[in-house]
Amino acid sequence: MVPPPSNPQQIQQFLSSALSQRGPSSVPYEESNKWLIRQHLLNLISSYPSLEPKTASFMHNDGRSVNLLQADGTIPMPFHGVTYNIPVIIWLLESYPRHPPCVYVNPTADMIIKRPHAHVTPSGLVSLSYLQNWVFPSSNLVDLVSDLSAAFARDPPLYSRRRPQPPPPSPPTGYDSSLSRPPSAEQSLARPFPPSPYGGGGRVQVQHVHHQQQSDDAAEVFKRNAINKMVEMVHSDLVSMRRAREAEAEELLSLQAGLKRREEELNIGLREMVEEKETLEQQLQVISMNTDILDSWVRENQGKTKNLVDLDVDNAFECGDTLSKQMLECTALDLAIEDAIYSLDKSFQDGVVPFDQYLRNVRLLSREQFFHRATGSKVRAAQMEVQVAAIAGRLHS
């Protein structure tokens, strides 16, 4: 599925359709990232019209095949004052844009990948510092292609394939051989790349990127091998350092999550302690009020026991109000009935009281005890209301 590259509106419709498609042929990107992927591709096509967005099947190393978006075409490479076109394919993997895309150099039939190359493997896979240091969400495809163009300008990744030249025909007798020359090696290797849309007006004939054959000089071979070895060591060190930094970052993130969780626990504990403090302060106020009431009662009744000679237990306590008197009577009757029922139990166990008489008396006493207890509960509630009203009046005063 490929939109025509000449119509930006059709490209937008193609990307909207590809990213919103459902089913087996849908692209496996996160819904929250699809809008950003669309913007990255639109910005790329706007800056580099020679690239076209497509959907194609991508085969992973583990054998999985997925339908992904790609940017296929050529990117400009300025070299010795002339702009060349380098064919590339930019695959947007499933984790894009949180992770970098996968870039391949895609040589045509008359091109060969330069070996060795600092940024391109023999299979065409491109490795750049921009890809290795990809940062979401600031990294994007436009800057990536610009970095690719600059890197290829310093070291072109492709050169024209050498084609065998037929042997020159034998000159006829008497022909001066000095007038016939075979074409030079540079002329035989020069091949045109696809036309560039970035300048030069029309088709630009690509000058030959000179590829020297390996020298038989041992010093040159040793120097080249040493440089390649140093590049591999530096790349390995960079990969190790990046993995170490990523591990440190993961450790710091986990530590940050632990600190955040402990902060929430401390806040919860602090709120519970504040609530408990408020509850204890309220209870302390109630206890202080009750203490004041008891102290005042003790002071009022402290001199009443000095003139008592014969103390009547029934008249030892005087009720201060009607509710207290009623509460005292209900409590006394409740306890008296409790004692009577206990005595009936003992008499029945000793065989003094018959069973039917025991049941009848217990039923009557229990009914009367229930009414006394219900009355006591109502009186106690009324006393609490009076006490609360008195405490409130004392606080306002």
Side-chain angles (χ1 to χ4, degrees):
M1 180 162 75
V2 183
S6 58
N7 194 334
Q9 185 176 2
Q10 293 186 6
I11 293 178
Q12 294 180 7
Q13 294 176 357
F14 162 74
L15 291 176
S16 300
S17 175
L19 291 172
S20 61
Q21 188 175 2
R22 296 293 184 269
S25 60
S26 61
V27 288
Y29 302 110
E30 296 182 6
E31 291 295 333
S32 59
N33 294 330
K34 286 185 177 180
W35 183 87
L36 185 59
I37 294 173
R38 180 178 180 272
Q39 289 302 119
H40 280 191
L41 286 172
L42 289 177
N43 294 338
L44 177 65
I45 303 308
S46 177
S47 300
Y48 298 93
S50 60
L51 292 171
E52 300 176 3
K54 301 179 181 179
T55 56
S57 180
F58 181 84
M59 183 70 68
H60 285 280
N61 293 333
D62 56 2
R64 292 183 299 109
S65 179
V66 291
N67 193 37
L68 299 178
L69 283 169
Q70 63 171 215
D72 187 9
T74 61
I75 63 174
M77 182 194 73
F79 187 74
H80 291 176
V82 182
T83 300
Y84 305 102
N85 293 325
I86 301 298
V88 296
I89 299 178
I90 303 176
W91 290 93
L92 306 188
L93 301 181
E94 297 94 326
S95 57
Y96 186 84
R98 298 188 178 276
H99 293 87
C102 188
V103 183
Y104 282 90
V105 172
N106 187 27
T108 60
D110 58 344
M111 299 180 187
I112 297 178
I113 298 177
K114 179 182 177 181
R115 300 185 184 183
H117 194 274
H119 304 296
V120 182
T121 64
S123 63
L125 180 63
V126 178
S127 174
L128 284 178
S129 59
Y130 190 89
L131 293 172
Q132 297 171 1
N133 300 322
W134 185 273
V135 178
F136 174 81
S138 59
S139 299
N140 56 78
L141 297 177
V142 176
D143 293 343
L144 170 61
V145 173
S146 177
D147 200 68
L148 283 171
S149 179
F152 291 166
R154 292 189 297 268
D155 187 9
L158 300 175
Y159 64 92
S160 297
R161 184 185 299 273
R162 184 191 300 271
R163 293 184 178 179
Q165 294 293 331
S170 310
T173 307
Y175 183 77
D176 188 357
S177 62
S178 61
L179 299 178
S180 176
R181 296 183 181 178
S184 63
E186 182 173 333
Q187 294 175 348
S188 65
L189 293 177
R191 295 289 183 272
F193 282 90
S196 170
Y198 299 94
R203 180 169 182 142
V204 178
Q205 294 293 330
V206 178
Q207 296 181 356
H208 169 62
V209 180
H210 188 62
H211 177 71
Q212 297 180 347
Q213 298 180 353
Q214 293 185 353
S215 175
D216 295 335
D217 190 281
E220 289 296 329
V221 174
F222 177 78
K223 180 180 178 180
R224 188 179 299 108
N225 293 337
I227 292 175
N228 293 336
K229 186 63 176 179
M230 290 180 63
V231 170
E232 292 178 359
M233 292 175 63
V234 171
H235 182 267
S236 177
D237 292 342
L238 288 175
V239 172
S240 301
M241 291 175 62
R242 180 186 178 186
R243 291 176 180 173
R245 298 294 85 77
E246 289 178 351
E248 292 178 1
E250 290 293 336
E251 184 178 356
L252 291 175
L253 289 175
S254 62
L255 180 60
Q256 182 183 14
L259 292 175
K260 188 71 175 179
R261 184 174 59 255
R262 293 184 182 180
E263 180 185 6
E264 295 176 355
E265 294 175 355
L266 289 175
N267 291 333
I268 294 174
L270 181 61
R271 286 196 298 269
E272 292 177 352
M273 292 175 65
V274 170
E275 293 175 357
E276 185 178 0
K277 178 184 177 183
E278 294 176 354
T279 304
L280 292 175
E281 289 178 349
Q282 294 176 358
Q283 293 179 358
L284 181 60
Q285 291 179 358
V286 174
I287 293 174
S288 299
M289 294 176 185
N290 292 335
T291 303
D292 295 338
I293 295 173
L294 291 175
D295 289 340
S296 61
W297 185 88
V298 170
R299 286 194 299 269
E300 291 175 0
N301 299 278
Q302 189 172 6
K304 294 181 180 180
T305 58
K306 296 180 180 179
N307 300 325
L308 295 177
V309 178
D310 295 329
L311 181 62
D312 186 5
V313 178
D314 295 333
N315 298 324
F317 294 94
E318 295 181 1
C319 298
D321 52 14
T322 304
L323 291 175
S324 299
K325 183 177 181 181
Q326 190 176 3
M327 187 67 188
L328 180 61
E329 292 176 355
C330 291
T331 304
L333 291 173
D334 180 19
L335 294 176
I337 292 173
E338 189 73 26
D339 291 340
I341 293 175
Y342 177 76
S343 299
L344 282 173
D345 289 339
K346 294 293 292 183
S347 299
F348 175 71
Q349 291 177 2
D350 295 338
V352 178
V353 178
F355 180 70
D356 56 347
Q357 185 179 357
Y358 166 76
L359 289 179
R360 184 170 57 255
N361 291 331
V362 168
R363 186 182 301 111
L364 294 174
L365 290 173
S366 298
R367 182 183 295 109
E368 185 178 357
Q369 186 183 34
F370 170 78
F371 286 116
H372 290 310
R373 287 185 176 181
T375 304
S377 298
K378 294 181 180 180
V379 171
R380 188 177 297 107
Q383 286 180 330
M384 289 296 296
E385 293 179 358
V386 173
Q387 185 178 3
V388 170
I391 293 173
R394 188 175 303 175
L395 289 177
H396 289 299
S397 62

